[in-house]
Amino acid sequence: MKRKLIAAIGVAGMMVSIAACGGSDDKGGAKAGGDAKELTVWLTVDAQNNWPELVKAADDAVTKKHPGIKIKHEYYGWPDKNTKLDAVLATDKAPDVVEMGNTEMISYMAKGAFAEVDPSKFDNSDKWLDALKDSVTYNGKTYGVPYYAGGRVGTWRKDIAAEVGVKAAPKTWAELTAALDKIQAKKGDKFSAWYQPSPDWYAAMSFVFEAGGSIAKQDGETWKANLSSPESVKGLNEYKNIVDKYMHGDKTKDESDRPVVFGQGKSATMFAAGWEGATAADPKTDKVGGLKDKLENFVMPGPSGKNLPVFLGGSDLAIPVKSKAQGVAAEWIAAFTGAEGQKGLIGKGNLPNNKADLAPLKSDPATAVAATAAESSWFVPTAPGWGQVEKAQTLKTMLIEIANGKKSVEQAAKDADAAIDKVINTK
């Protein structure tokens, strides 16, 4: 799944050395093709547009060890990549390295499209962020390497908070809801104290996981939907309360244009990807005037007293099982995602793939919120049929039905479970 940069957090400007990007010469996770003469790397345009120097550093690390090797790069937009990949994987001309959105990995791993890798060959693999580790793991085996991450944070209008006497960002659920209640009362029912599009299942499932629930549970190699469990229903009810009390926009509209809507000045708070605040404050979308200076990010607290767990979007790198250069492909990935590579990605406004590199960011005011929020995360079920669940928009449908009152939380969750169970174990 595509996750945009979180440059809004303000880490751009960090000076990074990329001259020695990559790990040691013995890095690599696959044996076959260690003496390949050509390497084809597929990345998305994010790398091409935002950190081409990091790509070159990884290339240099590989060509130093393999003089004369030809490294070819192809760049794709997110909507186009998988269609092209599916077509190529049916031939004998598969790329050697391919970038995947983290939820995209699941169906490909289930179908055996990617080669298994040895995680011990990659820097800080024992400290990979939990959600990213889950995204490259299938039935206990590792089929990819986390590349970078992007999380979600609370963002609010501190000027509006100040209007009701609130001078600091909330640290607890009680502080948050008390402030929202005051804002809602002052601004009226045509204003959203919390702009939360109901179909945004990434936000909704944060409440589900925070309450001890889950989308589905695994028993051996079989998955069973779990949205109608008492814990999941509790989380869904908490989410419904937020939408009912503070969201006064279209209950069927998704979050795709949330920054644009937020920039119109009719809402005070959102729980969104870190980059969305900066997008809202862009002169193109800022209808408030000076919105950049009026925004404040914070770690979203949860009803239970802990931080609300966030969905970590991001990218992984995988090696197609049909690659004839698996050994060199693993070396390239090790160089690109290694310690120096992660420094470079952090400097470009991303969260790193591991907790070791994440820890120092917590002490930097510019990155503390995003880094702290990312410590508590969740991921979708790594079930063979998860892609079909997403394609059917089962979670979105459930949330709209809950928000518009068409079904009770319990009935909507029960129906969603039934729909999920029909496909979640299908390869």
Side-chain angles (χ1 to χ4, degrees):
M1 173 168 295
K2 181 184 178 182
R3 294 294 106 192
K4 294 188 178 181
L5 302 180
I6 59 163
I9 310 302
V11 295
M14 185 182 296
M15 300 304 294
V16 180
S17 171
I18 62 165
C21 176
S24 61
D25 285 350
D26 63 353
K27 295 286 184 182
K31 296 180 180 179
D35 58 351
K37 303 301 181 184
E38 295 183 356
L39 185 73
T40 300
V41 178
W42 282 18
L43 299 172
T44 67
V45 292
D46 292 335
Q48 182 181 31
N49 296 335
N50 298 301
W51 45 87
E53 69 275 23
L54 303 182
V55 177
K56 183 180 184 301
D59 290 351
D60 291 345
V62 171
T63 55
K64 181 179 180 181
K65 182 178 179 182
H66 302 276
I69 191 171
K70 294 181 180 180
I71 302 178
K72 178 183 178 182
H73 295 281
E74 295 186 25
Y75 295 94
Y76 295 91
W78 284 97
D80 309 320
K81 173 180 62 67
N82 286 6
T83 299
K84 176 71 173 178
L85 180 62
D86 291 345
V88 172
L89 289 179
T91 72
D92 61 353
K93 297 181 180 180
D96 304 301
V97 176
V98 61
E99 177 182 351
M100 303 293 295
N102 56 357
T103 64
E104 294 175 344
M105 285 288 295
I106 301 168
S107 61
Y108 287 86
M109 293 189 295
K111 293 174 182 176
F114 296 145
E116 184 180 355
V117 299
D118 178 359
S120 70
K121 300 297 184 179
F122 301 91
D123 287 347
N124 286 316
S125 60
D126 59 332
K127 300 180 182 67
W128 282 342
L129 298 179
D130 294 340
L132 294 188
K133 180 179 180 180
D134 289 346
S135 74
V136 297
T137 304
Y138 186 74
N139 287 339
K141 296 182 179 180
T142 304
Y143 293 94
V145 178
Y147 172 9
Y148 69 90
R152 282 166 168 72
V153 299
T155 300
W156 79 351
R157 292 273 303 276
K158 59 185 179 181
D159 59 322
I160 292 178
E163 289 180 19
V164 295
V166 178
K167 299 180 180 180
K171 297 185 181 300
T172 67
W173 186 251
E175 290 178 359
L176 173 63
T177 54
L180 293 175
D181 287 342
K182 292 177 182 178
I183 291 170
Q184 196 64 66
K186 180 177 178 61
K187 294 294 186 179
D189 59 10
K190 292 186 178 180
F191 185 91
S192 294
W194 181 338
Y195 182 73
Q196 181 52 59
S198 61
D200 178 10
W201 60 272
Y202 300 107
M205 293 304 106
S206 288
F207 284 89
V208 166
F209 279 87
E210 199 263 356
S214 60
I215 301 171
K217 285 189 172 183
Q218 186 176 19
D219 183 7
E221 295 186 12
T222 302
W223 288 83
K224 178 73 174 175
N226 192 51
L227 290 168
S228 59
S229 69
E231 296 84 2
S232 295
V233 167
K234 179 182 178 182
L236 288 171
N237 273 311
E238 294 281 8
Y239 182 71
K240 182 179 186 299
N241 289 338
I242 290 297
V243 174
D244 286 349
K245 292 181 68 175
Y246 308 123
M247 169 62 178
H248 297 282
D250 184 347
K251 297 295 177 68
T252 65
K253 187 176 179 60
D254 68 19
E255 72 277 14
S256 59
D257 65 347
R258 176 167 45 205
V260 175
V261 176
F262 196 76
Q264 293 172 353
K266 296 182 179 179
S267 50
T269 309
M270 61 179 173
F271 177 47
W275 56 266
E276 293 189 46
T279 301
D282 187 286
K284 297 177 182 178
T285 50
D286 177 9
K287 305 303 180 184
V288 176
L291 185 57
K292 178 181 178 181
D293 295 329
K294 297 178 173 69
L295 295 182
E296 183 176 17
N297 290 339
F298 58 93
V299 179
M300 183 62 74
S304 73
K306 299 179 181 179
N307 293 339
L308 199 65
V310 300
F311 173 82
L312 281 185
S315 284
D316 301 320
L317 297 171
I319 303 171
V321 72
K322 287 189 174 183
S323 165
K324 298 179 178 63
Q326 292 182 23
V328 179
E331 291 175 13
W332 191 92
I333 293 173
F336 192 54
T337 64
E340 292 301 322
Q342 289 300 304
K343 288 180 182 178
L345 289 166
I346 291 168
K348 295 295 183 176
N350 300 285
L351 290 176
N353 67 3
N354 67 89
K355 295 176 183 177
D357 288 326
L358 189 71
L361 302 183
K362 292 172 60 181
S363 60
D364 183 342
T367 56
V369 169
T372 301
E375 285 188 310
S376 177
S377 62
W378 61 271
F379 193 62
V380 300
T382 52
W386 176 251
Q388 296 183 56
V389 176
E390 279 203 46
K391 185 176 181 180
Q393 299 190 347
T394 303
L395 298 182
K396 287 187 175 184
T397 299
M398 174 189 70
L399 294 170
I400 292 173
E401 291 172 340
I402 290 173
N404 64 20
K406 184 177 180 180
K407 294 179 181 178
S408 67
V409 170
E410 291 77 9
Q411 187 61 52
K414 183 178 179 181
D415 292 347
D417 276 353
I420 290 171
D421 282 338
K422 289 180 180 179
V423 298
I424 196 168
N425 293 299
T426 303
K427 291 185 178 181

